[in-house]
Amino acid sequence: MSMNDMRGLWRGKRISGEGWVTGLLSYRSGKGVDDLNSAQVYVERDYESYWVDPSTLGECTGFLDKNDILSFEEDIIKFKYGSETIVGFVEYDRYSGAFVVNDGVYSYIFGTDVFNAECEIIGNIHDNPELLKGADDNGSRS
């Protein structure tokens, strides 16, 4: 699967409480694409769409971490930047038109500042918000 193939993927937490699903984003019949209260993710291998909590939806960045795990918006990433260890969350930056890791102070661009071989997904902001706590003023963790 190429990076462009992965960019159409979305991930969301199932409303039923049965974990996360990754697939194509779809919506309830009769609702527009801007109606995020009706979000579903279609999982091709299951031939099934699953209702997901719209607040948990995250688009695939197309980047793999050092463990070959696909990264999505709202994942928490740890990586080296110079001599610093940075921990932040993935978001799409509309200004730069790129996915970035935001540590609360700076935004580090995937492929420019953050490289696959150096970054590791350590959680996500929904299941592990505590991983973002304890960062000092420049975002690095002790």
Side-chain angles (χ1 to χ4, degrees):
M1 188 179 279
S2 74
M3 185 168 123
N4 288 334
D5 293 337
M6 295 184 282
R7 279 293 308 278
L9 294 176
W10 288 76
R11 180 181 67 191
K13 198 166 193 173
R14 290 177 61 175
I15 290 176
S16 66
E18 297 175 22
W20 293 86
V21 292
T22 300
L24 303 174
L25 189 59
S26 62
Y27 292 90
R28 183 184 309 172
S29 177
K31 298 286 186 175
V33 293
D34 293 329
D35 181 12
L36 290 181
N37 293 318
S38 60
Q40 287 186 332
V41 171
Y42 174 74
V43 180
E44 192 171 19
R45 73 174 181 276
D46 296 349
Y47 300 105
E48 186 77 40
S49 288
Y50 299 94
W51 291 103
V52 297
D53 177 348
S55 71
T56 66
L57 280 174
E59 186 178 3
C60 179
T61 67
F63 290 95
L64 299 168
D65 77 351
K66 69 180 185 179
N67 300 310
D68 289 331
I69 298 172
L70 205 49
S71 61
F72 287 83
E73 287 178 290
E74 302 179 346
D75 276 341
I76 299 173
I77 304 279
K78 178 172 77 170
F79 67 101
K80 285 282 199 189
Y81 188 75
S83 62
E84 304 246 7
T85 298
I86 306 295
V87 174
F89 66 94
V90 178
E91 67 180 352
Y92 182 76
D93 179 44
R94 294 185 196 289
Y95 178 74
S96 66
F99 285 101
V100 299
V101 177
N102 181 335
D103 72 355
V105 179
Y106 299 106
S107 292
Y108 302 87
I109 299 173
F110 272 101
T112 302
D113 302 318
V114 182
F115 297 97
N116 301 14
E118 299 170 359
C119 73
E120 180 177 21
I121 299 167
I122 58 172
N124 66 68
I125 65 171
H126 303 286
D127 293 337
N128 317 99
E130 72 281 358
L131 294 175
L132 291 174
K133 294 184 176 148
D136 64 25
D137 290 345
N138 66 7
S140 63
R141 294 174 55 104
S142 323

